């Protein structure tokens, strides 16, 4: 009789553990059709207006604080002979050749 009670209790516990419906499994059955309209298709890509503003501000700050290598590269790209030399030897060598001596002034 003891073993029968233990087996019945074990069966109830296994049934509760295996047949539990979590919130995530219920979400997948919300839509009857696999297709959704265009407005809801990319909703996960949209950000709230505050996030857009923050992203814009961070991008502006990032533009103001560029690395020295990026500033050198942009300066070299604006000067055609430096850009041509950079295509063959690299931007570091081109910057040193055309603008390296002027830095000490």
């Amino acid at each position: 009789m003891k073993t029968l009670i233990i087996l019945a209790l074990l069966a109830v516990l296994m049934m509760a553990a295996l047949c539990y419906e979590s919130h995530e499994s219920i979400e997948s059955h919300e839509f009857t059709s696999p297709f959704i309209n265009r407005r809801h298709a990319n909703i996960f890509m949209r950000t709230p207006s505050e996030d857009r503003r923050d992203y814009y501000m961070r991008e502006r700050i990032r533009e103001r604080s560029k690395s020295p290598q990026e500033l050198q590269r942009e300066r070299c790209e604006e000067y055609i002979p430096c850009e041509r030399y950079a295509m063959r030897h690299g931007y570091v060598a081109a910057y040193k050749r055309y603008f390296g001596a002027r830095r000490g002034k």
Side-chain angles (χ1 to χ4, degrees):
M1 185 73 172
K2 252 186 191 177
T3 56
L4 185 62
I5 293 173
I6 292 174
L7 284 174
L9 195 64
L10 186 60
V12 169
L13 286 174
M14 284 183 62
M15 193 168 199
L18 296 175
C19 296
Y20 174 72
E21 291 253 350
S22 66
H23 179 67
E24 289 83 15
S25 64
I26 294 170
E27 285 179 350
S28 63
H29 300 295
E30 287 179 358
F31 297 110
T32 57
S33 172
F35 303 105
I36 56 176
N37 63 15
R38 289 182 181 181
R39 181 172 288 167
H40 291 99
N42 291 327
I43 200 160
F44 66 94
M45 294 296 285
R46 288 192 216 133
T47 58
S49 61
E50 304 120 22
D51 288 345
R52 285 187 189 148
R53 202 171 350 157
D54 290 342
Y55 176 77
Y56 178 75
M57 291 304 292
R58 279 186 266 132
E59 187 66 29
R60 299 302 301 166
I61 290 170
R62 213 176 293 132
E63 284 179 10
R64 275 190 251 140
S65 59
K66 292 181 179 176
S67 67
Q69 292 82 11
E70 189 174 354
L71 292 172
Q72 290 175 0
R73 183 179 180 136
E74 286 179 358
R75 188 171 179 195
C76 189
E77 284 176 349
E78 292 171 356
Y79 188 55
I80 301 297
C82 182
E83 186 178 14
R84 287 184 189 151
Y85 191 84
M87 287 185 184
R88 182 171 215 142
H89 302 285
Y91 280 100
V92 175
Y95 186 83
K96 284 181 183 176
R97 178 172 179 180
Y98 287 97
F99 303 106
R102 297 179 190 174
R103 193 174 173 124
K105 287 184 178 181

